[in-house]
Amino acid sequence: MEMEILFCISVALGAGLLMSRAAKPLGLPSVTAYLVAGILIGPFCLGRLGISGLGFISTDNVKEFEIISDVALGFIAFAIGNEFRLSQLKKVGGKATFIGIWQAVIATLMVDAALIGLHFALGGKLPISMAITLGAIAAATAPAATLMVVRQYKAKGKLTDLLLPIVAIDDAVGLVIFSVSFGIAKALENGQFSLSAIIVEPLLEIVLSLLLGLVMGLLFSLCEKFFSSNSKRLCLSITFVILTVAISMLKFEIGGIHIGFSALLVCMMLGTVFCNVCDFSAEIMEKTDKWTVPLFALFFVLSGAELELNVFSDIAIVGIGAVYIIARSLGKYFGAYASAKLTKCDEKTTKYLGITLLPQAGVALGMSVTVMELGEVGSVIRNIVLFSVLIYEIFGPVLTKIALTKAGNIEPKPKDKNRKERTAPAKI
């Protein structure tokens, strides 16, 4: 068993590296390459051979590596938290908050309007509960894909400075919208209305997640002072992120109210507190970024392997999914455009910001697991989300790269005319 697990990990990393190499001449981001590699070694391609260890033979086999994805998302959130330095927030904090809230709300409203309209055309095939739940899921943006594209191409500029804080705020807003909409959907399906599930629980989750992140961040910063070696500080950083992810998994109930934490919000707060309290946080963050490169690559390969290609076999899923994708894309773009215009962002940021907010993955998939409580309706919603994530994750990073390039945040690499001269042996 241990040999098969190690074999799967090595095959996943190897496939990701080979695919990223093949994608380089095409100008595709590494994220897209890793996702395609995951699909190729996943249950619907190489996995069909049924050779355990050589690729993933089933979706259950992919889920055995779920802990790797949980840890990777923790480090991704930790890195995004580093973007909330007070010096930077003074410049973009107000704009990021305003845009982060309104683009998420407008995306939700656009999807709600489109799918409720489709409900009247299709009748019982698309219940109102399904329409409003999908509208809520539309608010979520994938922080992982966005961060990876920014890092790979070393994007810098006004758009990038605004983008990462917006992605972080987007997840908090998405969590609230989803909790409210899902509570209403459950009431429509089951006839049970719960005020605590719609308002109290989501607000508690956000507040408690931020408080836990604050405590862990302060404790982390305090512990770092006891070590002077960079290697030991790096080890402590890794320890705290993993510990924070573990604590974030706690769930309990008090007086009938379900209490839990959002690992993304907790780890974002951990990174935010650390980068603002610790004097040498920038150096530690830089070293942590290098350590996480193979972890992130493995995360995206696993994400690709987890995508279920059989959703294409259901025409209804594809049709509703297409409407969802179009409506969400328009909502994200025009929501970001309008709010950026209102906050007087520069022309290029206003024009291209919405495109960078299209990727969707981990958070949306997590929401799609929750909606399974709706029974048959929940199962259909999950398949629609899986279909949209498949499309967004393959094309989203590519569009993000194009938008950042058009906005002048990614500088095209100059052609290396002197390569031969440098590689040739020196003349004596």
Side-chain angles (χ1 to χ4, degrees):
M1 183 64 180
E2 289 83 359
M3 185 186 75
E4 290 175 4
I5 290 172
L6 292 174
F7 228 96
C8 273
I9 291 174
S10 60
V11 167
L13 280 171
L17 288 171
L18 288 173
M19 189 56 65
S20 66
R21 185 64 187 170
K24 193 173 182 180
L26 301 174
L28 296 175
S30 294
V31 177
T32 303
Y34 295 147
L35 288 163
V36 172
I39 292 171
L40 293 177
I41 65 170
F44 297 93
C45 294
L46 189 61
R48 284 192 175 276
L49 296 176
I51 303 173
S52 188
L54 186 64
F56 302 97
I57 59 176
S58 66
T59 51
D60 288 335
N61 186 199
V62 181
K63 287 176 183 176
E64 290 173 9
F65 298 86
E66 199 168 14
I67 189 170
I68 294 174
S69 297
D70 291 337
V71 172
L73 280 172
F75 277 100
I76 287 163
F78 179 65
I80 290 176
N82 188 43
E83 301 300 320
F84 285 89
R85 292 181 181 272
L86 289 176
S87 57
Q88 189 173 352
L89 283 178
K90 288 176 183 177
K91 299 177 183 176
V92 300
K95 287 183 179 180
T97 302
F98 183 83
I99 297 170
I101 292 171
W102 283 106
Q103 57 81 27
V105 170
I106 292 172
T108 295
L109 293 175
M110 287 280 280
V111 173
D112 280 345
L115 294 183
I116 290 173
L118 200 60
H119 158 77
F120 289 109
L122 298 177
K125 291 183 181 179
L126 180 58
I128 292 289
S129 58
M130 186 189 297
I132 62 174
T133 303
L134 283 168
I137 294 173
T141 299
T146 305
L147 180 67
M148 283 290 285
V149 172
V150 168
R151 280 190 179 174
Q152 181 185 350
Y153 296 101
K154 296 180 175 61
K156 290 181 181 179
K158 292 180 180 179
L159 175 53
T160 304
D161 291 341
L162 201 58
L163 173 60
L164 294 178
I166 287 173
V167 170
I169 292 164
D170 178 275
D171 287 326
V173 176
L175 179 64
V176 174
I177 293 174
F178 175 75
S179 299
V180 173
S181 297
F182 183 55
I184 295 170
K186 280 203 294 187
L188 290 171
E189 286 294 311
N190 308 323
Q192 297 176 347
F193 182 83
S194 172
L195 187 64
S196 64
I198 293 175
I199 298 174
V200 179
E201 289 179 6
L203 289 177
L204 266 178
E205 182 172 337
I206 291 171
V207 172
L208 291 176
S209 295
L210 295 176
L211 283 175
L212 177 59
L214 173 64
V215 171
M216 295 301 291
L218 292 173
L219 186 60
F220 179 25
S221 302
L222 178 65
C223 291
E224 284 282 10
K225 293 177 182 178
F226 292 99
F227 299 92
S228 55
S229 164
N230 282 335
S231 59
K232 287 187 173 124
R233 285 174 174 172
L234 174 61
C235 287
L236 187 64
S237 303
I238 294 166
T239 301
F240 258 88
V241 175
I242 294 174
L243 176 62
T244 303
V245 171
I247 295 173
S248 301
M249 293 178 177
L250 289 173
K251 294 183 185 297
F252 45 93
E253 187 176 331
I254 299 176
I257 296 176
H258 296 87
I259 296 175
F261 303 95
S262 165
L264 278 173
L265 289 179
V266 176
C267 290
M268 281 178 195
M269 193 62 174
L270 173 74
T272 300
V273 174
F274 177 63
C275 76
N276 284 291
V277 173
C278 185
D279 295 334
F280 45 83
S281 62
E283 186 180 355
I284 298 300
M285 286 285 191
E286 186 180 347
K287 291 183 180 298
T288 305
D289 290 347
K290 291 178 181 177
W291 181 85
T292 54
V293 170
L295 177 65
F296 290 172
L298 187 57
F299 166 73
F300 283 107
V301 174
L302 289 171
S303 298
E306 196 176 13
L307 296 175
E308 298 184 19
L309 302 185
N310 57 4
V311 294
F312 286 109
S313 61
D314 191 327
I315 299 300
I317 298 294
V318 174
I320 297 171
V323 173
Y324 169 85
I325 289 169
I326 293 168
R328 178 182 178 272
S329 300
L330 291 173
K332 284 286 179 182
Y333 181 80
F334 288 110
Y337 183 92
S339 50
K341 196 85 171 174
L342 286 171
T343 52
K344 298 179 180 178
C345 292
D346 65 281
E347 186 180 347
K348 288 186 176 180
T349 298
T350 302
K351 186 176 180 180
Y352 296 109
L353 176 61
I355 299 173
T356 64
L357 297 173
L358 294 182
Q360 189 176 48
V363 179
L365 289 173
M367 291 175 177
S368 73
V369 172
T370 304
V371 301
M372 294 300 284
E373 294 176 24
L374 296 176
E376 187 178 341
V377 169
S379 180
V380 176
I381 292 172
R382 176 160 173 79
N383 283 331
I384 291 169
V385 173
L386 285 169
F387 169 75
S388 65
V389 165
L390 178 65
I391 303 301
Y392 276 126
E393 281 298 89
I394 291 175
F395 296 104
V398 179
L399 293 172
T400 299
K401 179 203 168 186
I402 293 170
L404 288 170
T405 304
K406 293 281 188 183
N409 284 216
I410 296 177
E411 294 183 6
K413 290 183 179 179
K415 292 183 179 179
D416 197 349
K417 296 178 180 179
N418 301 317
R419 186 177 177 183
K420 291 183 179 179
E421 293 179 15
R422 290 204 313 270
T423 55
K427 293 181 180 179
I428 300 174

